[in-house]
Amino acid sequence: MNYTRRHDDRLPLYQRLHDEISERIAAQQWRPGEAIPTEAELVKQFSASVGTVRKAIDMLVAEGVLERFQGRGTFVRRARFDSSLFRFFRLQKESGERQVPEGRILLRETLVAPSAVASALRLPAHAEVIHLSRLRMLDGKPLLAESIWLPRERFAALLDIDASEFGDLLYPLYEERCGQVVASAEEDLTAEAVDDVHARLLQIPKGAPVIVVERTALGYDRQPLEWRRSRGPADRFRYHVEIR
Amino acid sequence: MNYTRRHDDRLPLYQRLHDEISERIAAQQWRPGEAIPTEAELVKQFSASVGTVRKAIDMLVAEGVLERFQGRGTFVRRARFDSSLFRFFRLQKESGERQVPEGRILLRETLVAPSAVASALRLPAHAEVIHLSRLRMLDGKPLLAESIWLPRERFAALLDIDASEFGDLLYPLYEERCGQVVASAEEDLTAEAVDDVHARLLQIPKGAPVIVVERTALGYDRQPLEWRRSRGPADRFRYHVEIR
DNA sequence: GAGTGGTCTAGACCACGGT
DNA sequence: CCGTGGTCTAGACCACTCA
């Protein structure tokens, strides 16, 4: 059967297959964009029937971990929330297709994690983190002021590269330079009256309402990789949800 | 086979079953809380195999339309977003279990739908609507100021009952008095600086940030039943999302 | 045409709930 | 105990992709 780890035999077979495949992806045995073995192959490897294998895969597809293409194969899904802002916020002026806002790094420093950051990243107290401050512009106007926190250990490579090499998107950089793949994220949204510092950064009146998004980005193993807090002028954001 | 409507024969069987069951629920052949026929029964009715029937039911469960209980049966799910506010917003002071905020009707009137309302409810221009204004309190403090719009035709019964009979929750009232069942909803979230009218209602300073939630409530047939706009002090709301 | 995932069948047996 | 949904099998055939 070739399991990399013992699973609880009381669990249904499809659940064990799901966990097994999930763990192999977390271990980067198959990387984002790559195909996993065919159904027939998995049937052999796990000595299960197609229906059971399909159920395990169905679950992973529903979770957004895998993607299926008839006739081609089943692939590890690359999280494409280049910026979730464009999947979840639709910029108020719906002028057409989604552009990636330009990102400029204002600050890069290493320091001991403040307690809120350490707890969000599940780091021990006094662990070192990298802090980035970043301003994102769209149509020449400030859209988001971001504070980004990363465990120093995993992301040390970011300290060596020139600030100009940081592109507009960070997650591809994390993958290429640090081998850290973001698989999912959790966000908390609030709103507040902007403070003076951010008012200046965002070029909005003092006390104007801003949206605050706190995001924890997670790997396939659900370890927190990044924590960021972003603030943007409220009137440029609209968030849409379906409720059942 | 007993289909209530012709379906496209090119669609997979499980898809046609899904649509068929979905339509019967929309037609109130089975009402919320009631059981649909057993899998064995559906197998007979549709002359399909169990696996196929189960796949159709799986889809409806995933959509939140049905609920399964091993050994008991499969039931039409009663939308339990008594207030979505408690499933999606966690009130800032996480002091324990969820209370339903007290709701007080401030105004009830009939008028011609403003164009934004008509379009949200997909009503013809100049259709009549019922407009409710409502203030919701929690711990004695104003939490939400709501404007609620309903198609007059479907909800005429609300005009006959005493304002004191409106409880803290409206959706059960819609079901009991008007036979209108809310199955799902769509919400748009924004934030803004509060205007003077709402500042007074919510007892917050002028210009303070408020969360604005615009919700369209839909029936099982996805017809819009209600449109409402709610405003609440931003510092009492925190919205949590998972992203994949 | 070879190989992939997609649909569908007709069973078997298990686990759970209510009587 | 019976009836419900839950798991699982071992196939068949279809639809699509790519060389």
Side-chain angles (χ1 to χ4, degrees), chain A residues 4-21:
Chain A
T4 56
R5 231 188 56 187
R6 280 271 56 78
H7 291 95
D8 190 335
D9 286 353
R10 292 167 303 181
L11 258 36
L13 180 52
Y14 70 85
Q15 181 63 253
R16 299 195 313 260
L17 297 202
H18 163 278
D19 295 350
E20 178 67 24
I21 295 170

Side-chain angles (χ1 to χ4, degrees), chain B residues 27-55:
Chain B
Q28 311 216 10
Q29 176 168 343
W30 307 303
R31 306 183 51 105
E34 289 178 13
I36 67 168
T38 66
E39 296 181 348
E41 179 58 32
L42 292 169
V43 162
K44 268 190 290 180
Q45 271 190 45
F46 294 109
S47 34
S49 76
V50 264
T52 304
V53 168
R54 285 186 64 82
K55 176 141 187 175

Side-chain angles (χ1 to χ4, degrees), chain A residues 125-235:
Chain A
H126 310 302
E128 282 201 314
V129 289
I130 300 170
H131 173 224
L132 303 174
S133 172
R134 185 186 188 216
L135 187 62
R136 309 190 73 181
M137 318 274 293
L138 193 65
D139 304 327
K141 281 159 59 182
L143 180 67
L144 278 179
E146 301 187 306
S147 257
I148 297 166
W149 308 81
L150 302 158
R152 177 179 174 151
E153 195 153 348
R154 288 174 189 261
F155 290 91
L158 292 185
L159 297 169
D160 301 328
I161 66 183
D162 197 86
S164 64
E165 289 187 68
F166 283 73
D168 292 331
L169 297 174
L170 293 182
Y171 292 169
L173 197 70
Y174 296 168
E175 198 171 330
E176 288 159 23
R177 301 297 183 131
C178 314
Q180 303 295 323
V181 182
V182 173
S184 65
E186 296 189 8
E187 290 188 344
D188 275 295
L189 274 96
T190 52
E192 64 183 31
V194 74
D195 63 30
D196 294 359
V197 174
H198 288 98
R200 211 173 52 245
L201 266 175
L202 293 170
Q203 299 173 24
I204 56 177
K206 290 180 185 184
V210 284
I211 295 281
V212 185
V213 182
E214 291 173 7
R215 180 200 294 170
T216 307
L218 308 168
Y220 282 104
D221 56 2
R222 299 198 68 77
Q223 276 291 307
L225 299 179
E226 177 210 60
W227 187 78
R228 63 168 76 179
R229 174 149 47 199
S230 310
R231 289 184 173 83
D235 59 2

